[in-house]
Each structure stands twice: as C-alpha cells, then as structure tokens.
Short mmCIF file of all heavy atoms in Angstrom, two decimals:
data_model
loop_
_atom_site.label_atom_id
_atom_site.label_comp_id
_atom_site.label_asym_id
_atom_site.label_seq_id
_atom_site.Cartn_x
_atom_site.Cartn_y
_atom_site.Cartn_z
N LEU A 234 72.47 85.00 100.84
CA LEU A 234 73.60 85.92 100.94
C LEU A 234 73.09 87.31 100.64
O LEU A 234 73.60 88.30 101.26
CB LEU A 234 74.70 85.52 100.02
CG LEU A 234 75.47 84.27 100.43
CD1 LEU A 234 76.51 83.86 99.32
CD2 LEU A 234 76.17 84.42 101.77
N ALA A 235 72.23 87.48 99.70
CA ALA A 235 71.68 88.77 99.39
C ALA A 235 70.86 89.39 100.50
O ALA A 235 70.88 90.57 100.72
CB ALA A 235 70.86 88.73 98.04
N ILE A 236 70.10 88.51 101.19
CA ILE A 236 69.29 89.00 102.32
C ILE A 236 70.26 89.41 103.46
O ILE A 236 70.02 90.42 104.09
CB ILE A 236 68.37 87.90 102.74
CG1 ILE A 236 67.19 87.75 101.77
CG2 ILE A 236 67.77 88.12 104.17
CD1 ILE A 236 66.19 86.69 102.04
N LYS A 237 71.35 88.69 103.69
CA LYS A 237 72.33 89.12 104.67
C LYS A 237 72.85 90.51 104.29
O LYS A 237 73.09 91.38 105.13
CB LYS A 237 73.46 88.11 104.75
CG LYS A 237 73.11 86.86 105.45
CD LYS A 237 72.84 87.03 106.90
CE LYS A 237 72.61 85.72 107.63
NZ LYS A 237 72.24 85.92 109.09
N ALA A 238 73.09 90.69 102.99
CA ALA A 238 73.58 92.06 102.52
C ALA A 238 72.56 93.12 102.77
O ALA A 238 72.88 94.20 103.21
CB ALA A 238 73.88 91.95 101.00
N ALA A 239 71.26 92.81 102.51
CA ALA A 239 70.22 93.74 102.77
C ALA A 239 70.17 94.13 104.26
O ALA A 239 69.92 95.26 104.63
CB ALA A 239 68.84 93.27 102.31
N GLU A 240 70.29 93.15 105.10
CA GLU A 240 70.28 93.38 106.54
C GLU A 240 71.48 94.25 106.96
O GLU A 240 71.42 94.97 108.01
CB GLU A 240 70.32 92.01 107.27
CG GLU A 240 69.06 91.25 107.10
CD GLU A 240 69.14 89.85 107.74
OE1 GLU A 240 70.25 89.40 108.04
OE2 GLU A 240 68.08 89.19 107.85
N ALA A 241 72.58 94.16 106.16
CA ALA A 241 73.74 95.00 106.51
C ALA A 241 73.67 96.34 105.79
O ALA A 241 74.69 97.03 105.68
CB ALA A 241 74.98 94.23 106.04
N SER A 242 72.50 96.70 105.27
CA SER A 242 72.22 98.00 104.66
C SER A 242 72.74 98.19 103.27
O SER A 242 72.83 99.29 102.74
CB SER A 242 72.77 99.14 105.58
OG SER A 242 72.13 99.11 106.85
N TYR A 243 73.12 97.06 102.61
CA TYR A 243 73.56 97.13 101.20
C TYR A 243 72.34 97.04 100.22
O TYR A 243 71.52 96.16 100.45
CB TYR A 243 74.54 96.03 100.87
CG TYR A 243 75.85 96.13 101.50
CD1 TYR A 243 76.33 95.20 102.38
CD2 TYR A 243 76.69 97.24 101.27
CE1 TYR A 243 77.55 95.27 103.02
CE2 TYR A 243 77.98 97.32 101.82
CZ TYR A 243 78.40 96.33 102.72
OH TYR A 243 79.64 96.39 103.32
N PRO A 244 72.23 97.93 99.27
CA PRO A 244 71.15 97.76 98.31
C PRO A 244 71.47 96.55 97.39
O PRO A 244 72.59 96.44 96.93
CB PRO A 244 71.16 99.07 97.47
CG PRO A 244 72.54 99.65 97.72
CD PRO A 244 72.97 99.16 99.04
N VAL A 245 70.51 95.68 97.14
CA VAL A 245 70.72 94.50 96.37
C VAL A 245 69.63 94.28 95.37
O VAL A 245 68.52 94.87 95.47
CB VAL A 245 70.78 93.23 97.30
CG1 VAL A 245 71.86 93.36 98.33
CG2 VAL A 245 69.39 92.97 97.98
N ALA A 246 69.89 93.47 94.36
CA ALA A 246 68.85 93.18 93.28
C ALA A 246 69.07 91.77 92.77
O ALA A 246 70.21 91.25 92.71
CB ALA A 246 68.95 94.18 92.12
N PHE A 247 68.00 91.10 92.51
CA PHE A 247 68.00 89.68 92.07
C PHE A 247 67.25 89.54 90.73
O PHE A 247 66.20 90.13 90.54
CB PHE A 247 67.38 88.82 93.13
CG PHE A 247 67.16 87.35 92.69
CD1 PHE A 247 68.08 86.35 93.14
CD2 PHE A 247 66.13 86.96 91.91
CE1 PHE A 247 67.93 85.07 92.79
CE2 PHE A 247 65.96 85.63 91.52
CZ PHE A 247 66.85 84.69 91.96
N ASP A 248 67.76 88.64 89.85
CA ASP A 248 67.01 88.20 88.74
C ASP A 248 67.83 87.08 88.03
O ASP A 248 68.99 86.83 88.37
CB ASP A 248 66.79 89.36 87.69
CG ASP A 248 65.34 89.26 87.12
OD1 ASP A 248 64.87 88.15 86.98
OD2 ASP A 248 64.82 90.30 86.80
N SER A 249 67.09 86.41 87.15
CA SER A 249 67.77 85.33 86.37
C SER A 249 68.67 85.98 85.31
O SER A 249 68.50 87.15 84.97
CB SER A 249 66.78 84.42 85.68
OG SER A 249 66.03 85.14 84.70
N ALA A 250 69.66 85.21 84.85
CA ALA A 250 70.50 85.72 83.85
C ALA A 250 69.72 86.16 82.61
O ALA A 250 70.02 87.20 82.02
CB ALA A 250 71.58 84.62 83.46
N THR A 251 68.76 85.34 82.26
CA THR A 251 67.91 85.67 81.05
C THR A 251 67.22 87.04 81.26
O THR A 251 67.18 87.87 80.33
CB THR A 251 66.89 84.56 80.77
OG1 THR A 251 67.62 83.41 80.58
CG2 THR A 251 66.04 84.88 79.57
N ARG A 252 66.63 87.21 82.46
CA ARG A 252 65.94 88.48 82.69
C ARG A 252 66.86 89.69 82.75
O ARG A 252 66.52 90.79 82.27
CB ARG A 252 65.15 88.38 83.98
CG ARG A 252 63.97 87.36 83.95
CD ARG A 252 62.83 87.90 83.09
NE ARG A 252 62.32 89.11 83.60
CZ ARG A 252 61.32 89.21 84.55
NH1 ARG A 252 60.85 88.08 85.06
NH2 ARG A 252 60.90 90.34 84.95
N TRP A 253 68.05 89.49 83.30
CA TRP A 253 69.01 90.63 83.27
C TRP A 253 69.36 90.97 81.86
O TRP A 253 69.49 92.16 81.47
CB TRP A 253 70.32 90.25 84.06
CG TRP A 253 70.23 90.28 85.54
CD1 TRP A 253 70.43 89.23 86.40
CD2 TRP A 253 69.85 91.46 86.36
NE1 TRP A 253 70.27 89.70 87.68
CE2 TRP A 253 69.93 90.97 87.67
CE3 TRP A 253 69.56 92.75 86.03
CZ2 TRP A 253 69.69 91.91 88.70
CZ3 TRP A 253 69.28 93.59 87.08
CH2 TRP A 253 69.38 93.19 88.40
N ILE A 254 69.59 89.96 81.01
CA ILE A 254 69.91 90.23 79.59
C ILE A 254 68.75 90.93 78.91
O ILE A 254 68.99 91.86 78.10
CB ILE A 254 70.30 88.98 78.89
CG1 ILE A 254 71.59 88.36 79.44
CG2 ILE A 254 70.43 89.19 77.34
CD1 ILE A 254 72.76 89.32 79.54
N GLU A 255 67.52 90.54 79.17
CA GLU A 255 66.37 91.15 78.56
C GLU A 255 66.33 92.66 79.01
O GLU A 255 66.02 93.53 78.14
CB GLU A 255 65.10 90.49 79.00
CG GLU A 255 64.89 89.12 78.40
CD GLU A 255 63.70 88.34 78.96
OE1 GLU A 255 63.08 88.89 79.97
OE2 GLU A 255 63.33 87.26 78.47
N ARG A 256 66.66 92.96 80.24
CA ARG A 256 66.63 94.36 80.66
C ARG A 256 67.73 95.17 79.99
O ARG A 256 67.48 96.26 79.54
CB ARG A 256 66.91 94.37 82.20
CG ARG A 256 66.97 95.69 82.85
CD ARG A 256 66.94 95.54 84.36
NE ARG A 256 67.17 96.88 85.01
CZ ARG A 256 67.07 97.06 86.35
NH1 ARG A 256 66.71 96.00 87.12
NH2 ARG A 256 67.28 98.22 86.87
N LEU A 257 68.92 94.57 79.87
CA LEU A 257 69.99 95.29 79.16
C LEU A 257 69.73 95.42 77.67
O LEU A 257 70.03 96.44 77.04
CB LEU A 257 71.33 94.62 79.38
CG LEU A 257 71.81 94.50 80.81
CD1 LEU A 257 73.15 93.72 80.90
CD2 LEU A 257 72.00 95.93 81.36
N ALA A 258 69.12 94.41 77.05
CA ALA A 258 68.77 94.49 75.61
C ALA A 258 67.74 95.60 75.34
O ALA A 258 67.89 96.32 74.34
CB ALA A 258 68.25 93.14 75.18
N ALA A 259 66.82 95.77 76.29
CA ALA A 259 65.80 96.80 76.09
C ALA A 259 66.47 98.18 76.19
O ALA A 259 66.16 99.08 75.40
CB ALA A 259 64.73 96.66 77.14
N ALA A 260 67.39 98.31 77.16
CA ALA A 260 68.14 99.57 77.28
C ALA A 260 68.98 99.86 76.04
O ALA A 260 69.09 100.97 75.55
CB ALA A 260 68.99 99.56 78.56
N HIS A 261 69.68 98.81 75.54
CA HIS A 261 70.51 98.91 74.37
C HIS A 261 69.72 99.40 73.15
O HIS A 261 70.19 100.26 72.38
CB HIS A 261 71.25 97.61 74.09
CG HIS A 261 72.13 97.63 72.91
ND1 HIS A 261 73.26 98.39 72.85
CD2 HIS A 261 72.05 96.96 71.69
CE1 HIS A 261 73.88 98.23 71.66
NE2 HIS A 261 73.11 97.39 70.99
N ALA A 262 68.50 98.86 73.03
CA ALA A 262 67.67 99.18 71.84
C ALA A 262 67.29 100.66 71.89
O ALA A 262 67.04 101.27 70.84
CB ALA A 262 66.45 98.31 71.85
N GLN A 263 67.25 101.24 73.07
CA GLN A 263 66.88 102.62 73.20
C GLN A 263 68.15 103.59 73.31
O GLN A 263 68.01 104.78 73.50
CB GLN A 263 66.09 102.87 74.47
CG GLN A 263 64.78 102.15 74.50
CD GLN A 263 64.05 102.27 75.86
OE1 GLN A 263 63.79 103.37 76.32
NE2 GLN A 263 63.69 101.11 76.45
N GLY A 264 69.34 102.96 73.10
CA GLY A 264 70.58 103.70 73.21
C GLY A 264 70.93 104.15 74.61
O GLY A 264 71.70 105.15 74.80
N LEU A 265 70.45 103.35 75.60
CA LEU A 265 70.62 103.71 76.99
C LEU A 265 71.37 102.65 77.77
O LEU A 265 71.26 102.62 79.07
CB LEU A 265 69.27 103.94 77.71
CG LEU A 265 68.41 105.02 77.06
CD1 LEU A 265 67.05 105.08 77.72
CD2 LEU A 265 69.06 106.41 77.24
N LEU A 266 72.25 101.88 77.08
CA LEU A 266 72.87 100.79 77.82
C LEU A 266 73.81 101.25 78.85
O LEU A 266 73.85 100.73 79.99
CB LEU A 266 73.60 99.90 76.77
CG LEU A 266 74.42 98.70 77.38
CD1 LEU A 266 73.48 97.79 78.15
CD2 LEU A 266 75.16 97.99 76.32
N GLU A 267 74.66 102.29 78.53
CA GLU A 267 75.62 102.78 79.54
C GLU A 267 74.89 103.30 80.71
O GLU A 267 75.34 103.12 81.87
CB GLU A 267 76.52 103.77 78.89
CG GLU A 267 77.45 103.27 77.84
CD GLU A 267 78.41 102.21 78.50
OE1 GLU A 267 78.85 102.38 79.59
OE2 GLU A 267 78.66 101.21 77.78
N ARG A 268 73.81 103.98 80.45
CA ARG A 268 73.05 104.57 81.55
C ARG A 268 72.48 103.50 82.45
O ARG A 268 72.49 103.59 83.68
CB ARG A 268 71.89 105.41 81.03
CG ARG A 268 70.95 106.03 82.07
CD ARG A 268 69.85 106.84 81.39
NE ARG A 268 68.92 107.34 82.36
CZ ARG A 268 67.78 108.00 82.06
NH1 ARG A 268 67.60 108.38 80.77
NH2 ARG A 268 67.00 108.41 82.98
N GLU A 269 71.99 102.45 81.84
CA GLU A 269 71.41 101.28 82.61
C GLU A 269 72.50 100.58 83.41
O GLU A 269 72.25 100.24 84.63
CB GLU A 269 70.74 100.27 81.67
CG GLU A 269 69.99 99.14 82.41
CD GLU A 269 68.84 99.58 83.11
OE1 GLU A 269 68.33 100.74 82.95
OE2 GLU A 269 68.32 98.85 84.01
N LEU A 270 73.69 100.42 82.84
CA LEU A 270 74.76 99.76 83.60
C LEU A 270 75.17 100.67 84.78
O LEU A 270 75.48 100.15 85.84
CB LEU A 270 75.98 99.50 82.68
CG LEU A 270 75.74 98.44 81.65
CD1 LEU A 270 76.94 98.45 80.63
CD2 LEU A 270 75.56 97.10 82.24
N ARG A 271 75.22 101.95 84.59
CA ARG A 271 75.52 102.89 85.78
C ARG A 271 74.43 102.79 86.78
O ARG A 271 74.73 102.80 88.00
CB ARG A 271 75.64 104.30 85.29
CG ARG A 271 76.98 104.60 84.45
CD ARG A 271 77.16 106.10 84.31
NE ARG A 271 76.08 106.77 83.67
CZ ARG A 271 76.05 106.97 82.36
NH1 ARG A 271 77.02 106.45 81.53
NH2 ARG A 271 75.05 107.64 81.75
N LYS A 272 73.19 102.61 86.37
CA LYS A 272 72.08 102.54 87.34
C LYS A 272 72.23 101.26 88.12
O LYS A 272 72.08 101.23 89.35
CB LYS A 272 70.77 102.51 86.57
CG LYS A 272 69.53 102.38 87.48
CD LYS A 272 68.28 102.45 86.56
CE LYS A 272 67.05 102.27 87.40
NZ LYS A 272 65.77 102.31 86.65
N LEU A 273 72.60 100.15 87.49
CA LEU A 273 72.79 98.91 88.19
C LEU A 273 73.96 98.96 89.15
O LEU A 273 73.97 98.23 90.16
CB LEU A 273 72.95 97.75 87.17
CG LEU A 273 71.76 97.42 86.34
CD1 LEU A 273 71.97 96.26 85.33
CD2 LEU A 273 70.52 97.04 87.24
N ASN A 274 74.93 99.76 88.81
CA ASN A 274 76.09 99.83 89.66
C ASN A 274 75.79 100.56 91.00
O ASN A 274 76.61 100.56 91.91
CB ASN A 274 77.24 100.59 88.98
CG ASN A 274 78.01 99.65 88.07
OD1 ASN A 274 77.99 98.43 88.22
ND2 ASN A 274 78.73 100.25 87.10
N ARG A 275 74.60 101.13 91.13
CA ARG A 275 74.17 101.67 92.42
C ARG A 275 73.88 100.53 93.47
O ARG A 275 73.88 100.80 94.65
CB ARG A 275 72.92 102.56 92.20
CG ARG A 275 73.19 103.72 91.38
CD ARG A 275 71.83 104.46 91.07
NE ARG A 275 71.97 105.53 90.15
CZ ARG A 275 70.96 106.17 89.57
NH1 ARG A 275 69.68 105.89 89.89
NH2 ARG A 275 71.15 107.19 88.72
N TYR A 276 73.57 99.34 92.94
CA TYR A 276 73.41 98.22 93.80
C TYR A 276 74.74 97.66 94.19
O TYR A 276 75.56 97.36 93.32
CB TYR A 276 72.59 97.14 93.05
CG TYR A 276 71.19 97.53 92.81
CD1 TYR A 276 70.76 97.89 91.52
CD2 TYR A 276 70.18 97.43 93.79
CE1 TYR A 276 69.49 98.31 91.21
CE2 TYR A 276 68.84 97.75 93.49
CZ TYR A 276 68.55 98.15 92.21
OH TYR A 276 67.23 98.53 91.92
N ARG A 277 74.96 97.49 95.50
CA ARG A 277 76.21 96.95 95.90
C ARG A 277 76.40 95.49 95.61
O ARG A 277 77.48 94.94 95.58
CB ARG A 277 76.48 97.20 97.38
CG ARG A 277 76.54 98.68 97.79
CD ARG A 277 77.79 99.29 97.17
NE ARG A 277 79.06 98.65 97.55
CZ ARG A 277 79.67 98.89 98.72
NH1 ARG A 277 79.24 99.84 99.54
NH2 ARG A 277 80.79 98.27 99.03
N LEU A 278 75.22 94.81 95.37
CA LEU A 278 75.23 93.39 95.10
C LEU A 278 74.16 93.02 94.08
O LEU A 278 72.96 93.39 94.30
CB LEU A 278 75.04 92.49 96.40
CG LEU A 278 74.93 91.02 96.15
CD1 LEU A 278 76.26 90.46 95.63
CD2 LEU A 278 74.51 90.32 97.41
N LEU A 279 74.56 92.35 93.03
CA LEU A 279 73.53 91.77 92.08
C LEU A 279 73.68 90.29 92.20
O LEU A 279 74.76 89.72 92.22
CB LEU A 279 73.86 92.22 90.65
CG LEU A 279 73.79 93.66 90.26
CD1 LEU A 279 74.07 93.79 88.70
CD2 LEU A 279 72.45 94.21 90.57
N VAL A 280 72.49 89.63 92.20
CA VAL A 280 72.40 88.17 92.09
C VAL A 280 72.00 87.81 90.68
O VAL A 280 70.94 88.25 90.23
CB VAL A 280 71.48 87.54 93.09
CG1 VAL A 280 71.47 86.01 92.95
CG2 VAL A 280 71.87 87.95 94.49
#
C-alpha cells in the first residue's frame, strides 16, 4: 500500500514500531520531540 502511495506521488516512510519509538525517544532526550513529530507529519503515510 505504501508503494502504491509512492507511485501516487505521496511521500511515505516505513519502520517497525520499535524503531519508530527509538527514533522518538532519541528526539525526546534532546528536547526535540515536537520538532520530530512535525518532521514526520511531512510524510503523508507512515507504516
């Protein structure tokens, strides 16, 4: 479904739940959680 989205010109990103949490935890530790969430919102679809 994400590849169909990419073909339709939507920016997409994929990762496991654990890896998404690791990414957010690293941002939170640096006080950048809100910034990271806004960055992820640039993707029209997250898997």
Side-chain angles (χ1 to χ4, degrees):
L234 290 175
I236 286 178
K237 288 293 185 183
E240 292 172 348
S242 299
Y243 290 118
V245 302
F247 173 99
D248 221 328
S249 67
T251 301
R252 292 289 298 275
W253 282 122
I254 295 306
E255 289 174 353
R256 178 171 174 171
L257 294 179
H261 179 65
Q263 300 175 53
L265 300 174
L266 178 59
E267 292 301 321
R268 177 180 175 182
E269 185 68 15
L270 290 172
R271 287 195 300 272
K272 181 179 178 180
L273 293 180
N274 279 340
R275 297 173 187 170
Y276 293 100
R277 294 296 301 275
L278 176 66
L279 294 184
V280 181

